Amino acid sequence: MVGGRAIILQLDDTTICKPLIPQELDIYTTLPDLLRPFVPKFKDFVDFKWKRGCVRCRIRVNPSSGNMEIQGSSGPATFEDCEEGGSGLHNPWLQYCHRKQPPQSRRFLVLEDLTAGLHRPCVLDLKMGIRQYGDHDTLVKIHRKQARAASTTSCCLGLRMCGMQVFQVDTNKYVCYNKYYGRTLSQEGFRQVLYRFLHNGIQLRNDVITELQEVLQALVRAIRKLDSFRFFCSSLLIVYDGLAQASNGLQGSAAAHVRLIDFAHSTHAGLNTSPTYEGPDEGLIFGLTNLIALLTSIREEGSGLVSTQP
């Protein structure tokens, strides 16, 4: 968890649970087959009975500390908070959410854990599209979200960084940014953060960029075929292994995972709700095509931004 506020629980080594929102469950159970490769695998929903101290709100268990966290299976690494300063053994945003928002929901969606099996999971959460409010939000909330979109890269790119952690091979540390930092970024600042997400401190991960471009192009083709679907307030989650090209003998997976997530405000005509829409989601397509263009630009420029700090 690098961007959202909801507490995520681990059910087993390959499965996570997130609080169930009925509209999101409706989306997962009515998705067309052509979109399923681009969303987390939905397994079921479950009810939990809480007992204080029995459920720890982390994604992965650190064998040495017993804490669950977004951390790989190759031993401890340090997380650096690039906004507040300081460092620790856990992603600082995850710690904040765990302290601020103890679990309340008893019913959870059961989804695949995209970080399963990764030695050093690098994770980027991007809020997608220009419109950042749902059909049934209040006017106050709509105006607030419209103002936020207008003042951030959501308006000009259809993309906004909501959270990031990237492993740096040279320092054995994760660099972390949260959503509040993402709201301050200009277009160039966003590009620099994207570059940093794709650089492991030694080299640019061109293998990841190539795979991302291919998957994103396939996702755009799929979205263009979906009539009436709107993915308001949804995010794009990008995950890859930060050790895939490490020099210390540990080799991770070269695969990059790309998934649309967070469908609490998504809709389509098959849900029999109002309003309904026609044609594909152009806001989402706008963000995806800009992301593809940024990846192309970063790869073409190679190491030109290696020393740039966002």
Side-chain angles (χ1 to χ4, degrees), residues 19-220:
L20 186 151
I21 298 173
Q23 189 163 343
E24 184 166 32
L25 176 61
D26 289 343
I27 292 294
Y28 272 112
T29 55
T30 59
L31 282 173
D33 289 342
L34 71 108
L35 198 59
R36 293 194 181 278
F38 305 105
V39 302
K41 293 178 182 177
F42 168 70
K43 300 182 179 183
D44 205 343
F45 64 87
V46 295
D47 292 321
F48 283 116
K49 182 177 181 180
W50 297 109
K51 291 184 178 179
R52 185 175 297 276
C54 290
V55 179
R56 289 166 292 184
C57 303
R58 297 286 195 264
I59 285 184
R60 189 175 299 283
V61 176
N62 182 322
S64 61
S65 67
N67 292 321
M68 293 183 183
E69 56 198 17
I70 302 181
Q71 185 167 316
S73 56
S74 301
T78 302
F79 289 78
E80 289 191 334
D81 190 336
C82 293
E83 289 75 61
E84 302 296 331
S87 61
L89 292 178
H90 311 291
N91 184 303
W93 182 250
L94 184 150
Q95 289 182 304
Y96 168 81
C97 291
H98 180 59
R99 292 193 302 265
K100 187 81 172 178
Q101 191 178 6
Q104 299 294 329
S105 176
R106 294 191 176 191
R107 178 160 289 185
F108 285 77
L109 293 172
V110 181
L111 304 169
E112 68 171 325
D113 179 2
L114 298 176
T115 69
L118 303 187
H119 296 283
R120 292 285 185 251
C122 299
V123 185
L124 178 64
D125 185 330
L126 299 175
K127 186 70 71 176
M128 301 301 296
I130 299 172
R131 174 174 161 174
Q132 298 297 326
Y133 59 89
D135 287 326
H136 305 294
D137 284 343
T138 65
L139 283 177
V140 171
K141 193 170 187 179
I142 289 172
H143 292 159
R144 184 176 72 247
K145 290 191 171 184
Q146 286 176 328
R148 182 180 299 161
S151 65
T152 65
T153 53
S154 290
C155 184
C156 54
L157 293 175
L159 301 163
R160 187 170 79 241
M161 194 276 289
C162 284
M164 184 184 94
Q165 69 174 42
V166 59
F167 181 68
Q168 302 294 276
V169 174
D170 55 336
T171 62
N172 195 41
K173 294 180 178 180
Y174 284 95
V175 173
C176 304
Y177 294 98
N178 64 35
K179 67 178 183 180
Y180 298 110
Y181 183 75
R183 294 175 188 176
T184 71
L185 295 174
S186 63
Q187 284 185 251
E188 179 57 26
F190 179 90
R191 184 178 183 276
Q192 291 174 17
V193 166
L194 182 61
Y195 179 90
R196 190 163 197 186
F197 176 68
L198 296 164
H199 199 283
N200 65 9
I202 296 177
Q203 61 186 351
L204 189 65
R205 289 293 303 271
N206 285 316
D207 59 323
V208 174
I209 294 176
T210 297
E211 186 159 1
L212 289 178
Q213 289 174 311
E214 294 175 355
V215 175
L216 290 170
Q217 288 165 355
L219 177 55
V220 169

